Structures are given as C-alpha cells and as structure tokens.
Amino acid sequence: MAPASLQHHSNTVCVMDASGRLGSALVQRLLQRGYSIHAAVQNDSENESLKAIRIGNYKQKLKIFDLDPFDYQSIIEALKGCSGLFYTFEPPQDQTTYDEFMGEVEVRVAHNVLEACAQTDTIDKVVFTSSATAVIWREDPRNNKSSLSDAELDERNWTDINFCRKFKLWHALSKTLAEKTAWALAMDRGINMVCINAGLLVGPDLSITNPYLKGAAEMYEDGVFVTVDLNFLVDAHICVFEDVSSYGRYLCFNHVIHCNKDAVKLAQMLTPATPPPQKYDQDRRMIQQRISNKKLNKLLVDFESGPQPKWTDSKPFQIAKC
C-alpha cells in the first residue's frame, strides 16, 4: 500500500495544459513515478516531448485530451477518473500577448477549471500554478515605486491589483486575479488546492518578450527578482501534490538575481546578439535579498526524508540554494 502521503482515489492525474514546457515536463516526471496521465492540450498543440511519449515506453499510461478552456464539458472529460490536477495556464493561440484583457481570459479559465474540479468526485487535490508576480508588486509610500518595506516577502503577501493597473503590469495582474479567483472557488466548493508561485522559468526558450520581465529592473533593485529551473519547479509540484501536509501557497525559486554579474548573465541569455558591457564587473554591489522560499524548502526536506513510493525512479528532490 502507498504511504499515507500518497493515498488518492487512483494514481491517474490530469496535467492541464500539457503542451507547454512545464506541462510536458510534469507529464514525463509523473509517468516516471508510476502515474497514469490525462494530458489536456489546447488545439491539439502537443509539443515534441509529448509526441515522443506517445510512441515511447509510457504510451499505454498516457491519454491525450483536446482541451477548450472555455468549454466546461471538455475540462470535465479530461478530469474524469483522475485523483489530482496539475493546472498551469497557457494563453490561447489567438491571444498570446499579455495585455489589459488577458486577466479576464485567465480568470475565466481558472473559474471553469476549479468549477469542473468541484463537480468531479474523484479529484482529491489540485496543484495550481501561479507566479511570484502575484506576490511581489505593491505601492511603496516612500517613493511611489515598487514595493518593499523592510520585511521579507513570502507567500503570505499579495500583489496590489490597483498598482498593477497603474503601471500596466499585465502579467502580474492576470496571475493575481486568476489565483484569487481560484482560491475563492476552492474555499467555497471545498476543494483541496495548493498553489505554486513560481519565479521566472529559465531555459532555452526564454526571450526578452516574456511578460514576467515587465518591471525587471525594479524587481532587481528591490531584491525580489527570482528565477527557477525547470527540474526544480517540477519537483516542487510533485512534492506539494504527494505530501498531505502541504497547504496554501508556496513561493518557488532556486536562484535570486541580486548582483550585477547575475543580471548581465541573464541579459546575455535574453539578447545573445548584444555584446556584454566592457566594465560591468566593476559593480560588485550585492542587492539584499528580500524574498523567502523557506516554506517550500522545509516541505521538500520533510518530503525527501519521509516514505517514498516504491515505483519512484526519478532523481531525488533538490533544495534551492540561493
């Protein structure tokens, strides 16, 4: 029998949307851990990773579902028979730019998904992917700029919606509104939900157009510019799903950009054609880190030291070192 932390109605879970980088990585890792997967994708938009799985060793444990996030019934179909949902929002293909209207889209989808979960008897737990941008932005009365009091930010903080509208921080606005909607429904419908507030996901597809980067200079100066590697983010999702002690929100990152060297390295990743500045290493100033992921790190430590399912063959969970 599985450990107490893993007792669900079944070992079938849904990943929605599974076509993105995070979604497809979750599918692969969950299959390695012995789960059967309902992979919900928009407009049959499977990426190469999912296509490889469909013809690989795990194809019998993977079912692909066409998802229309505005069609309640298509969400219900993907959730049938699942004990859990890993939800991450992927913008519709005809509206990929974050603007002042994207918040309405993301809120509507979050509402549909959580309502569908409430109507699916087998769902034991929902892991909702949000963003660190739903935590870090608020008015600073001292300089009328971005947030920070002397206190360290953590998952108990919420981004100020009016501040986002004022400075056109559409990504932060969308993530905050959608997460608040999800929490309201989860509490009203009695859904067991946990939220991952992820830093900027780094990787080969990261570009200067990523909407998370709006306000990057201010995040850097405030000591809250955090990034996360894909493997760490996937591990965090699985940990909070499998551990019954998980609750509420978890800030998820494993690197803080708080020195000029880190900032230049990220800039080169975003714009590789631009030569680095000649004298950037003269600035040895260290920005004070003002954001904490202690809650997640403690959970990862406890989870790693606790009982693990016999079918686990993925690599051990790694703790962030910032």
Side-chain angles (χ1 to χ4, degrees):
M1 189 171 75
S5 61
L6 300 171
Q7 289 180 350
H8 298 287
H9 279 121
S10 73
N11 73 330
T12 300
V13 296
C14 179
V15 177
M16 180 187 303
D17 185 329
S19 59
R21 187 161 170 249
L22 172 59
S24 61
L26 275 168
V27 169
Q28 292 182 71
R29 190 70 61 82
L30 288 163
L31 286 169
Q32 291 172 0
R33 292 180 74 80
Y35 291 91
S36 296
I37 308 297
H38 288 188
V41 298
Q42 294 185 54
N43 304 313
D44 198 29
S45 55
E46 297 175 55
N47 61 19
E48 293 304 315
S49 296
L50 282 182
K51 290 177 182 177
I53 295 171
R54 292 190 76 171
I55 60 176
N57 296 332
Y58 297 108
K59 60 183 178 181
Q60 293 183 342
K61 288 195 169 188
L62 176 65
K63 293 183 179 180
I64 306 294
F65 290 79
D66 292 330
L67 172 70
D68 178 353
F70 303 110
D71 179 7
Y72 181 76
Q73 193 57 41
S74 79
I75 301 172
I76 288 286
E77 288 298 319
L79 292 175
K80 280 184 178 178
C82 292
S83 63
L85 168 67
F86 293 85
Y87 169 76
T88 179
F89 176 78
E90 292 291 334
Q93 290 185 342
D94 60 350
Q95 188 178 354
T96 57
T97 302
Y98 271 80
D99 57 20
E100 59 186 310
F101 304 109
M102 183 59 82
E104 298 175 11
V105 174
E106 196 160 350
V107 164
R108 182 179 170 191
V109 174
H111 183 280
N112 288 346
V113 169
L114 267 295
E115 189 62 56
C117 287
Q119 301 303 320
T120 305
D121 293 338
T122 56
I123 293 291
D124 293 326
K125 197 169 194 177
V126 175
V127 180
F128 187 96
T129 308
S130 185
S131 172
T133 59
V135 172
I136 62 176
W137 292 108
R138 67 180 188 271
E139 196 83 52
D140 183 350
R142 297 171 300 178
N143 55 18
N144 200 35
K145 286 173 62 180
S146 61
S147 68
L148 293 172
S149 63
D150 294 332
E152 192 176 60
L153 287 175
D154 60 23
E155 47 280 310
R156 292 171 293 182
N157 297 99
W158 280 93
T159 280
D160 187 311
I161 291 172
N162 292 328
F163 181 85
C164 291
R165 289 197 176 103
K166 179 178 179 180
F167 292 98
K168 301 182 178 180
L169 297 163
W170 305 130
H171 181 269
L173 177 66
S174 295
K175 294 302 178 184
T176 305
L177 290 173
E179 188 188 341
K180 282 180 176 286
T181 297
W183 278 118
L185 266 170
M187 289 186 284
D188 184 63
R189 303 290 194 271
I191 300 168
N192 181 17
M193 189 179 96
V194 181
C195 184
I196 295 286
N197 292 84
L200 175 66
L201 179 59
V202 295
D205 58 346
L206 182 63
S207 74
I208 195 68
T209 61
N210 190 299
Y212 187 108
L213 292 167
K214 179 70 180 293
E218 289 79 8
M219 285 189 279
Y220 172 69
E221 291 292 335
D222 284 339
V224 297
F225 195 169
V226 292
T227 66
V228 64
D229 296 324
L230 181 61
N231 286 335
F232 186 82
L233 184 57
V234 170
D235 286 347
H237 277 75
I238 296 174
C239 174
V240 299
F241 176 70
E242 293 185 350
D243 196 316
V244 292
S245 69
S246 65
Y247 67 96
R249 309 167 87 202
Y250 290 86
L251 264 169
C252 181
F253 59 89
N254 59 347
H255 188 66
V256 182
I257 298 176
H258 54 34
C259 67
N260 198 42
K261 182 179 179 181
D262 290 340
V264 170
K265 184 178 179 180
L266 178 63
Q268 287 181 278
M269 183 188 303
L270 296 171
T271 56
T274 304
Q278 295 293 320
K279 300 180 180 180
Y280 77 88
D281 58 343
Q282 292 182 0
D283 184 356
R284 300 186 181 278
R285 178 176 52 121
M286 292 288 292
I287 303 293
Q288 181 183 353
Q289 178 180 335
R290 300 189 182 219
I291 189 167
S292 170
N293 61 350
K294 293 176 183 176
K295 182 183 176 186
L296 176 62
N297 281 351
K298 183 179 185 305
L299 188 75
L300 287 170
V301 169
D302 292 344
F303 186 84
E304 187 178 2
S305 61
Q308 295 295 302
K310 294 180 180 179
W311 62 77
T312 299
D313 60 2
S314 59
K315 70 176 186 177
F317 290 102
Q318 299 296 317
I319 307 305
K321 296 178 180 179
C322 301

